[in-house]
Amino acid sequence: MKIKQLTLLGILIAIFIFIAATYVNFDLVPNVRKYTEQNQRLVENLREHNLRLELPLTQWFDVQNGLSHRPIQPIEDEAFTFIEGMREQALLFKNSLAEMNRLSVYRHQTSIEMFQLELNQLENDIDFLMLRIQDANLTGTQQSRELITNRIDNLRIRYDALNLVILSDLSLVLNTMIGLMMGILVVLMFGLIRFVYFQIPYMVTGLTRLADHDYHAPLKKPRPFFLEEQNIHRYIDDVFEENRFIDDVREVLLNQYIVEDAMDQLFPILKARMGIDRIGLAFIDYPRQVIKAEYGVISDGALVLGPGFEVPFDMTSLSQLISRREAQITPDLDDVLKQRPNSAALNLLVKEGIRSNLILPMTMGNAVFGFLFLSSRQSHFFNDQHKHLGEKIVYEIKGLLNRS
């Protein structure tokens, strides 16, 4: 996994959690609190209507038992008013519970369905109470009254328990979000601390070793976890390997004073490291306006374009490199030969089986004095890495030429 991907994932999750937390704090919690308080008021209203029903029912019982001679109709009307009030509060309570259930994404479906069932039974009990009052059923009225009182008390107790569950659920949601945020922070800090604690010392050690030209002792690498760490390790390995290679080239060249001998010893090293099949060296004769081959070696010994071969400036594309002083890759010599079929040098190289070329100018000050040719029997063989290594090799060869 990439550190960038992990960071983006962490940011996306953090944004999602932030949006969810905003919704929970500024929409869900206030609405749940509103319905919770509303339901508590409805329960208290049910209880209050039931308590206020006590007086007209007591009066109604006195009239029915002959203990009072007050008109019964006003008493029944007052009782029915409180009974209708209970019915209305029970209906509001059911609707409020359904809305609360929707807000909580139906996480308390079972508990709320039980409440709604209890409220349906309460409504039935209220209907029975009205019928028994209308039928002047004293015993049935008393039983219905007691049943309603018990049911309301039971609703009150059970709703307090449900309220605690809902509040605990909201706390769990908030704590989960906080935990996720902390988890994301820990993961990101892990990546940062790991990079600082392991990778930076590794890079510092590598740079120190490079500065000391200590390329051959093994460099202990920390175990990579992220893709960026693997890329760092790969890059440092490549730099060390490149410097070891240039060190080997320099050692060969420092021990030789004759260019031909140095090239003979250098070719196997370049072939092993770069996979080339041919190396050539040419110098520029400015008074005669020609480029003359001075050295060449090929892997199978079948050299056709050898020392002594000359080509005038106006008959070779190398003249362009003299002015540009830049390395050039020729990916496919066959294609170039089709465009320039009269080129003697190209014809000779193709006869040798060469299919791609890397041409590296050798300069002294601002002037090009020669070329190093690295060749392969594969087309499209050379790349920018070959060019980079070739330029370093040219630098070392120039040191040999200065000595000789």
Side-chain angles (χ1 to χ4, degrees):
M1 175 181 284
K2 292 183 178 180
I3 295 176
K4 180 180 178 180
Q5 292 174 337
L6 179 64
T7 303
L8 289 176
L9 179 62
I11 291 173
L12 289 175
I13 294 175
I15 291 173
F16 171 77
I17 293 174
F18 175 77
I19 294 172
T22 302
Y23 163 73
V24 169
N25 279 288
F26 296 101
D27 187 79
L28 180 61
V29 170
N31 278 298
V32 169
R33 184 180 292 115
K34 181 186 78 173
Y35 283 106
T36 299
E37 293 172 354
Q38 176 178 295
N39 291 339
Q40 288 175 334
R41 286 196 302 271
L42 291 172
V43 171
E44 291 302 320
N45 289 342
L46 278 171
R47 186 168 175 270
E48 181 182 349
H49 281 77
N50 188 47
L51 290 174
R52 294 179 67 181
L53 181 62
E54 181 70 26
L55 179 59
L57 281 183
T58 300
Q59 293 173 347
W60 184 80
F61 276 117
D62 289 342
V63 172
Q64 294 292 341
N65 290 321
L67 300 176
S68 172
H69 300 288
R70 295 179 60 181
I72 198 168
Q73 190 60 44
I75 296 173
E76 288 184 351
D77 290 344
E78 184 180 6
F80 288 156
T81 299
F82 293 132
I83 291 171
E84 287 294 337
M86 282 194 293
R87 188 201 305 277
E88 180 182 349
Q89 298 301 310
L91 181 60
L92 290 173
F93 196 5
K94 280 200 303 183
N95 294 336
S96 181
L97 285 172
E99 186 63 22
M100 179 185 288
N101 193 30
R102 183 189 67 80
L103 283 173
S104 60
V105 199
Y106 303 98
R107 290 191 302 275
H108 311 290
Q109 181 76 24
T110 302
S111 298
I112 288 178
E113 284 180 350
M114 292 178 62
F115 264 94
Q116 291 176 331
L117 180 62
E118 190 78 16
L119 286 168
N120 289 335
Q121 293 173 346
L122 177 61
E123 288 178 333
N124 292 334
D125 293 340
I126 290 172
D127 291 338
F128 278 123
L129 177 60
M130 291 185 68
L131 290 173
R132 286 167 177 170
I133 290 174
Q134 290 172 350
D135 294 340
N137 186 336
L138 299 181
T139 303
T141 299
Q142 184 64 32
Q143 290 174 349
S144 294
R145 174 77 171 77
E146 291 175 357
L147 186 60
I148 288 172
T149 300
N150 291 335
R151 203 174 294 282
I152 290 174
D153 289 340
N154 188 42
L155 280 172
R156 185 182 181 188
I157 293 170
R158 291 177 62 183
Y159 182 74
D160 288 340
L162 176 63
N163 195 23
L164 289 175
V165 171
I166 292 173
L167 293 175
S168 298
D169 186 55
L170 289 175
S171 298
L172 178 62
V173 170
L174 291 172
N175 290 334
T176 300
M177 291 180 180
I178 293 172
L180 287 173
M181 290 291 286
M182 293 298 295
I184 292 171
L185 182 61
V186 167
V187 171
L188 293 177
M189 288 299 295
F190 164 77
L192 179 61
I193 291 173
R194 177 183 175 81
F195 189 80
V196 171
Y197 188 77
F198 292 104
Q199 301 304 330
I200 289 182
Y202 168 69
M203 289 187 288
V204 170
T205 302
L207 291 172
T208 303
R209 294 265 297 275
L210 286 173
D212 294 339
H213 303 285
D214 182 10
Y215 315 125
H216 298 279
L219 181 62
K220 184 179 180 181
K221 293 185 290 188
R223 181 168 173 257
F225 185 82
F226 298 104
L227 184 60
E228 287 85 352
E229 294 177 299
Q230 296 176 18
N231 291 338
I232 289 172
H233 294 178
R234 191 177 302 113
Y235 176 76
I236 291 178
D237 286 344
D238 290 345
V239 171
F240 266 72
E241 198 277 334
E242 177 185 307
N243 278 275
R244 281 193 293 268
F245 169 64
I246 297 301
D247 226 20
D248 293 340
V249 170
R250 185 181 299 118
E251 185 176 353
V252 168
L253 296 177
L254 286 174
N255 291 328
Q256 300 295 329
Y257 292 91
I258 299 174
V259 174
E260 289 78 3
D261 293 343
M263 293 296 105
D264 286 337
Q265 293 196 29
L266 189 59
F267 178 68
I269 297 175
L270 300 186
K271 179 176 174 58
R273 171 62 177 81
M274 302 177 69
I276 63 172
D277 297 303
R278 186 186 192 280
I279 185 172
L281 200 62
F283 294 104
I284 300 173
D285 187 341
Y286 280 102
R288 296 174 56 216
Q289 294 287 290
V290 296
I291 300 172
K292 181 179 180 180
E294 293 289 341
Y295 174 83
V297 62
I298 195 167
S299 55
D300 59 4
L303 191 67
V304 178
L305 196 164
F309 177 84
E310 293 183 352
V311 60
F313 282 4
D314 57 1
M315 295 182 64
T316 176
S317 60
L318 294 177
S319 58
Q320 300 173 6
L321 298 183
I322 295 174
S323 57
R324 293 208 313 264
R325 300 192 299 277
E326 293 178 352
Q328 175 179 291
I329 294 174
T330 305
D332 194 327
L333 291 182
D334 288 328
D335 287 345
V336 179
L337 184 59
K338 291 176 184 178
Q339 300 170 17
R340 298 167 50 212
N342 297 324
S343 172
L346 287 174
N347 277 287
L348 293 174
L349 286 172
V350 170
K351 284 182 180 179
E352 291 178 356
I354 299 301
R355 294 294 177 265
S356 58
N357 232 0
L358 171 59
I359 307 170
L360 299 142
M362 295 186 291
T363 60
M364 189 67 67
N366 291 325
V368 177
F369 66 87
F371 294 98
L372 175 67
F373 299 89
L374 303 178
S375 306
S376 171
R377 287 196 165 99
Q378 298 179 34
S379 60
H380 301 277
F381 177 78
F382 294 100
N383 54 37
D384 289 339
Q385 180 64 21
H386 290 108
K387 185 190 292 187
H388 174 70
L389 284 176
E391 288 170 345
K392 288 181 174 266
I393 294 167
V394 165
Y395 179 81
E396 300 299 332
I397 291 175
K398 284 161 56 177
L400 168 66
L401 294 173
N402 287 333
R403 293 197 312 276
S404 61

